[in-house]
Amino acid sequence: MITLYDLVFEGDRRPSPFCWRTKFALAHKGLTWTDVPTGFTEKEKIAFADSKALPVIKDGETAVKDSWAIALHLDKAYPERPLMDGEAGRAFARFINGWADIAINGAIFPMVIGDLYDRVRPEDKDYIAETRGSRLGTKDFTAFQRAAREKGMATLRMALEPARRALRDQKFLSGAVPAYPDYILAGTFMWPRSMSPLELLAEDDPIYAWRERMLDLFDGLGRKAKTA
Ligand SMILES: N[C@@H](CCC(=O)N[C@@H](CS)C(=O)NCC(=O)O)C(=O)O
């Protein structure tokens, strides 16, 4: 029995890119789970795992925090249908994990922070204003987002170029079938999809078609999730 502590926004939106990595990973393994919607100010729910961030899973008696550690745990505990095949598979996924965290999440965040703030649960708004406000140097997230969008889209699309080149030649980042590197980037795209109306990709971008394929996986796990 696996329990997933999943970040929740207003209206039961589930935007966390890191929680999405875990959801795709669980589905890839054919595992079922129960989720516990967890707001930014409900850290007591994940204190048992000594975590202040989501995702956290409880797998039987084992608590695991951090999406990367969870992916490694799942491959060890459930070796069938590997998320990362062998040392080379793990090394490739580790690279994609860092690239998505820094270059892609980092490029998206300034362009959606206003939309994100509008959709967090009312009881979490002060927390987001304080934590993200001190990171950005302003609490006027609407103005910050507007300014960020002027140049941000070109920056994001350039940062995505390595994935675009791969997806011109192959169906998935991992080749003919999806694996953890695909779930990492798909998780990143689930984040804006769940809380911002901004479209980040042109329709003729090979990444757009790949994202459609990712949304359809596992009986439409991603597509069925609530959008902005
Ligand atoms: N490296 C972690 C990052 C987890 C993370 O930053 N999660 C965010 C949600 S998207 C969070 O829980 N933040 C808590 C907070 O800002 O208080 C992972 O891959 O799981």
Side-chain angles (χ1 to χ4, degrees), residues 210-224:
W210 164 87
R211 189 181 58 181
E212 291 294 302
R213 288 194 285 280
M214 297 305 294
L215 287 168
D216 287 337
L217 290 178
F218 314 123
D219 199 23
L221 176 66
R223 199 177 289 287
K224 283 181 196 157

Side-chain angles (χ1 to χ4, degrees), residues 7 15-19 21 40 43 52-55 65-68 97 101 127-128 131-132 135 191:
L7 182 67
S16 166
F18 310 105
C19 294
R21 292 175 191 180
F40 278 110
K43 304 271 192 263
K52 290 193 167 23
L54 300 155
K65 62 179 174 181
D66 187 279
S67 59
W68 178 254
N97 210 59
D101 283 2
Y127 174 79
I128 290 299
T131 54
R132 276 48 175 184
R135 195 190 296 175
W191 179 41

Side-chain angles (χ1 to χ4, degrees), residues 33 49 53-54 62 70 106 109 124 138 150 162 164 185 202:
W33 68 93
L54 300 155
T62 308
I70 292 170
F109 175 71
D124 293 336
T138 177
E150 282 170 22
R164 187 173 296 115
L185 190 61

Side-chain angles (χ1 to χ4, degrees), residues 83-206:
L83 292 161
M84 300 172 251
D85 209 355
E87 179 58 30
R90 242 184 336 273
F92 172 46
R94 190 180 287 113
F95 172 79
I96 297 292
N97 210 59
W99 169 72
D101 283 2
I102 305 300
I104 310 303
N105 288 0
I108 293 173
F109 175 71
M111 294 197 287
V112 297
I113 178 61
D115 294 337
L116 181 156
Y117 182 69
D118 289 345
R119 289 166 182 79
V120 290
R121 301 181 318 156
E123 56 269 53
D124 293 336
K125 279 197 191 285
D126 285 351
Y127 174 79
I128 290 299
E130 284 310 316
T131 54
R132 276 48 175 184
S134 66
R135 195 190 296 175
L136 299 174
T138 177
K139 288 183 185 169
D140 187 349
F141 299 130
T142 307
F144 189 92
Q145 170 179 285
R146 192 181 319 114
R149 285 182 186 183
E150 282 170 22
K151 291 193 178 146
M153 199 63 88
T155 305
L156 171 67
R157 290 184 180 180
M158 180 57 81
L160 284 166
E161 184 61 19
R164 187 173 296 115
R165 288 188 187 195
L167 293 168
R168 271 193 200 116
D169 294 337
Q170 60 201 51
K171 260 180 107 175
F172 297 99
L173 294 177
S174 303
V177 291
Y180 198 59
D182 294 277
Y183 306 139
I184 294 169
L185 190 61
T188 279
F189 280 109
M190 289 305 294
W191 179 41
R193 180 180 168 87
S194 310
M195 51 76 179
S196 172
L198 181 68
E199 176 51 71
L200 297 171
L201 299 172
E203 273 188 42
D204 61 353
D205 190 330

